[in-house]
Amino acid sequence: MEKIIEIIHRIYGDKFTASHVDKLRCSVLEGAGRIIARRHSGWRESDVVLITYADQFSRVNEKTLKTFNRFYKKHLNASFSVVHFLPFYPWSSDDGFSVKNYVQIDTRYGDWKDVAEIKKSCRLMFDFVCNHISAQSDWFQGYLQGRPEYQDFFIALDPATDLSAVTRPRALPLLTPFTLASGEVKFIWTTFSPDQVDLNFANPNVLLAMVDVLMQYLERGADYIRLDAVGFMWKTPGTSCIHLENTHQLVKLFRAIVDVAAPGTLIITETNVPHKDNVSYLGKGDDEAHMVYQFPLPPLVLHAIRTQSVTTLRQWASVLPMRGNGKTTWFNFLASHDGIGLNPLRGIIDEPEIVALVDTLEKEGAKVNWKNNPDGSRSPYELNATYMDALTPPSWSDDERLARFILAHALLLTFPGVPAVYIQSVLGGRNDYDGVKRLGYNRAINRQKYDEDEIENLLAAPNSLRARTLEALTHLIAVRQRHRAFHPDSHFCITEKCNGVLEIIRGNAQDEIIIALFNFTERSQTLSLDEGCYQDLFSEKLVDGEAITLRPWQSVWLCNN
């Protein structure tokens, strides 16, 4: 507990009283005593994460977690050792990220017994939506009613306060007016929407309440804890209010708590921001997040395929700080429940090139979300499309579409770190325009939900894009999981073998070396490696290293026999 108390005093000083310390100590130590299940430490080449909603699959008169568990065991269990459930708590908006109660399961999905049943087959990743809570939550409603225990739980400001320096992720007002039971109107800090009210972590009682939430997640068996929108947690008017030092200290505090209460639990920060800010949450390597989302990867792979040029992707990846120490690593992904973030490209690709990419995809049917800038202008911050449709023009054939898609995911599975695949990608999802029209927001384009019989029938058609996508991804993952060279910490070297072709080398001479080649062009390319015979791990055929021909959009993993 000494480290925990030390961090507390760095954040709060004397404001965190002896009484607060006693409550914190009881919460952590008593909770730790109730945690029986042990976590395994670190990560392995077999670790692949599935990102999904708790109501992704449904059946009439059945809780959706039961339906999911059946589908998972039939189709996904062998491929995905970790399941990341997006928030499955009662919610009021944003598909779960406006949480009404942090420690209950939405009754439409099931209950904690259903979660425990799924955990028998995999490890679980929970969302800790730590920056904000629903305006319909008991906490905020208690604040509006004047209940003393919720005073200062939220941030009320004079609307004349100069907040021009605050980083804005949305084109919405930062302060939202709410009427208290007394009739007084308060302007409350709402970073993301009027229904998502920011918590005031400057109040020690807020921290204590959120530590209680964290401890309950650990008791319920969370192996990974995802800190949602974590960069915004601490607010100081007059600053950017993002990535402030006390925000980093709070992440260090959560890390210290899980190290005491449930060693082996992994903390992952979700910060969709430029790369240098994102990686800062890895701290010194053993005191902050275990993993950070590799946010530049999705738009950079998209950019490389769309331009048929790997130069920018290679330049970025070649200077990535190598982890390899078993203490921190990357959380790699291409698609998620949100769109394809563009902010991580800034500083890597010039703005006109970003805008050109956005224009191209928008003309093809993608949606675009915008953010307001301090100077009054606006910039695109997110493309909304399934990754399948983002990669390929709509007029192309399914064969060409699948080839580009598998190329991108072979690269994902080759990168150092732990890979994660979104359920829409697993199922070969296409843009859901009906969902956008029905729900009224752009992100619905990549959030289609399925009746169980409907998706089973779609997957039963062997020549369909959905069935072929699931089969190809399942094969890729199975190959990765058999080879130690793909361990998240193993050696990584990336070069541009020839124009439009990437070469990635993983592993080491003492164990195993795999050479991965990726043709990001629409033409066949022939190249040579060192003299010798190689095994193609995908086809299990032998190939001559002196003349390897890659078809358009083809990737291969080669092991030197």
Side-chain angles (χ1 to χ4, degrees):
M1 289 293 295
E2 290 181 7
K3 184 174 183 179
I4 293 173
I5 302 304
E6 177 186 337
I7 298 171
I8 285 287
H9 285 310
R10 285 205 295 267
I11 300 172
Y12 294 100
D14 294 339
K15 192 175 180 181
F16 208 89
T17 66
S19 175
H20 291 130
V21 170
D22 287 343
K23 291 177 181 178
L24 179 70
R25 192 185 305 274
C26 288
S27 178
V28 174
L29 296 183
E30 290 181 7
R34 293 189 293 269
I35 296 172
I36 300 173
R38 301 289 91 182
R39 280 78 168 161
H40 81 66
S41 60
W43 32 78
R44 305 164 183 166
E45 63 274 11
S46 59
D47 292 338
V48 183
V49 180
L50 174 71
I51 305 170
T52 185
Y53 285 98
D55 63 343
Q56 188 61 56
F57 308 110
S58 61
R59 178 174 287 280
V60 175
N61 296 325
E62 183 175 70
K63 300 298 185 181
T64 60
L65 284 171
K66 291 183 184 296
T67 314
F68 172 86
N69 198 18
R70 184 169 52 248
F71 187 92
Y72 170 77
K73 287 180 176 179
K74 181 177 179 180
H75 295 287
L76 307 173
N77 188 21
S79 301
F80 298 98
S81 58
V82 182
V83 174
H84 170 205
F85 280 118
L86 295 158
F88 43 28
Y89 325 112
W91 55 278
S92 56
S93 63
D94 198 18
D95 274 351
F97 283 91
S98 185
V99 179
K100 294 167 64 175
N101 187 308
Y102 287 115
V103 295
Q104 293 180 359
I105 301 294
D106 191 304
T107 55
R108 293 169 294 181
Y109 308 154
D111 54 31
W112 284 112
K113 291 181 181 178
D114 296 312
V115 175
E117 188 63 29
I118 294 170
K119 186 170 170 58
K120 293 178 181 178
S121 304
C122 61
R123 285 173 289 145
L124 294 177
M125 178 171 168
F126 292 2
D127 262 295
F128 187 22
V129 187
C130 49
N131 178 71
H132 49 264
I133 194 169
S134 169
Q136 299 181 33
S137 65
D138 287 346
W139 291 9
F140 190 64
Q141 291 301 308
Y143 169 82
L144 294 179
Q145 293 160 16
R147 290 167 56 183
E149 64 267 37
Y150 295 116
Q151 296 316 292
D152 296 323
F153 255 56
F154 308 96
I155 302 168
L157 291 176
D158 183 331
T161 305
D162 182 4
L163 299 173
S164 60
V166 175
T167 297
R168 299 295 297 118
R170 299 284 186 273
L172 294 167
L174 181 60
L175 301 180
T176 299
F178 289 93
T179 303
L180 279 60
S182 64
E184 182 182 5
V185 175
K186 292 278 191 178
F187 286 79
I188 308 297
W189 198 297
T190 53
T191 295
F192 291 96
S193 81
D195 188 47
Q196 293 166 295
V197 185
D198 289 53
L199 293 163
N200 179 20
F201 275 93
N203 177 358
N205 292 318
V206 169
L207 176 71
L208 291 174
M210 294 304 281
V211 168
D212 283 344
V213 172
L214 175 60
M215 291 305 304
Q216 292 199 50
Y217 292 167
L218 298 177
E219 290 179 47
R220 296 294 188 179
D223 300 275
Y224 290 42
I225 297 289
R226 175 186 183 271
L227 304 182
D228 175 66
V230 65
F232 297 92
M233 275 199 299
W234 197 274
K235 282 82 172 175
T236 302
T239 73
S240 66
C241 297
I242 188 171
H243 315 311
L244 300 186
E245 176 57 27
N246 276 347
T247 292
H248 283 281
Q249 293 297 330
L250 286 170
V251 177
K252 292 179 180 181
L253 176 64
F254 296 149
R255 164 73 180 265
I257 288 171
V258 302
D259 285 348
V260 167
T265 305
L266 301 177
I267 294 288
I268 304 173
T269 51
E270 187 262 342
T271 51
N272 190 356
V273 293
H275 188 63
K276 66 179 179 62
D277 297 315
N278 187 33
V279 300
S280 69
Y281 286 88
L282 293 174
K284 296 178 181 177
D286 61 356
D287 66 339
E288 204 163 340
H290 296 88
M291 300 185 199
V292 298
Y293 274 70
Q294 189 73 279
F295 274 107
L297 190 61
L300 282 173
V301 171
L302 172 63
H303 174 267
I305 287 178
R306 283 296 190 153
T307 62
Q308 300 188 46
S309 171
V310 298
T311 300
T312 303
L313 175 61
R314 191 270 307 163
Q315 288 173 342
W316 167 78
S318 63
V319 296
L320 279 178
M322 292 299 103
R323 312 321 301 176
N325 55 10
K327 296 179 179 179
T328 61
T329 193
W330 310 107
F331 190 82
N332 297 319
F333 72 107
L334 293 177
S336 75
H337 61 290
D338 292 337
I340 302 167
L342 300 172
N343 286 343
L345 287 181
R346 293 184 164 98
I348 300 174
I349 294 177
D350 292 337
E351 192 67 19
E353 199 167 355
I354 295 174
V355 172
L357 179 65
V358 170
D359 287 346
T360 296
L361 268 73
E362 191 173 25
K363 289 174 183 175
E364 293 178 358
K367 304 296 183 181
V368 183
N369 282 328
W370 302 81
K371 69 182 182 73
N372 289 336
N373 300 318
D375 63 0
S377 63
R378 69 171 192 161
S379 302
Y381 78 84
E382 184 180 84
L383 282 164
N384 299 113
T386 67
Y387 210 73
M388 178 77 78
D389 279 331
L391 290 173
T392 308
S395 60
W396 283 33
S397 70
D398 280 353
D399 287 346
E400 294 167 313
R401 197 178 318 282
L402 184 61
R404 282 186 168 195
F405 181 85
I406 293 304
L407 170 73
H409 284 79
L411 184 77
L412 168 71
L413 293 167
T414 306
F415 252 67
V418 174
V421 186
Y422 181 44
I423 187 67
Q424 297 298 340
S425 294
V426 176
L427 300 175
R430 305 295 301 276
N431 287 343
D432 182 15
Y433 295 108
D434 289 340
V436 175
K437 184 177 180 180
R438 182 177 69 255
L439 298 172
Y441 52 87
N442 290 345
R443 285 179 170 179
I445 201 170
N446 192 26
R447 296 181 178 181
Q448 186 176 2
K449 309 292 175 64
Y450 303 95
D451 173 81
E452 185 184 21
D453 288 339
E454 171 197 12
I455 191 63
E456 289 286 6
N457 289 334
L458 291 170
L459 294 175
N463 295 322
S464 69
L465 181 62
R466 289 187 182 277
R468 293 168 65 196
T469 300
L470 177 60
E471 180 182 16
L473 277 179
T474 299
H475 179 58
L476 279 178
I477 292 170
V479 174
R480 172 195 163 92
Q481 291 173 329
R482 292 196 295 266
H483 291 276
R484 176 73 179 174
F486 291 119
H487 188 281
D489 294 338
S490 75
H491 174 76
F492 167 78
C493 178
I494 184 168
T495 57
E496 189 168 351
K497 190 69 175 174
C498 58
N499 188 25
V501 176
L502 276 181
E503 178 187 68
I504 294 177
I505 299 175
R506 298 296 311 276
N508 59 73
Q510 290 73 37
D511 192 357
E512 177 187 49
I513 292 178
I514 289 175
I515 300 171
L517 300 172
F518 306 88
N519 182 8
F520 277 76
T521 71
E522 60 188 0
R523 62 187 182 279
S524 294
Q525 303 227 44
T526 300
L527 56 148
S528 63
L529 303 177
D530 292 337
E531 182 179 347
C533 188
Y534 295 80
Q535 183 182 34
D536 180 340
L537 299 181
F538 295 156
S539 67
E540 298 185 350
K541 295 179 180 179
L542 297 180
V543 297
D544 182 357
E546 292 187 0
I548 296 175
T549 299
L550 298 176
R551 300 186 303 275
W553 316 114
Q554 185 184 5
S555 58
V556 295
W557 289 342
L558 303 173
C559 186
N560 189 338
N561 288 339

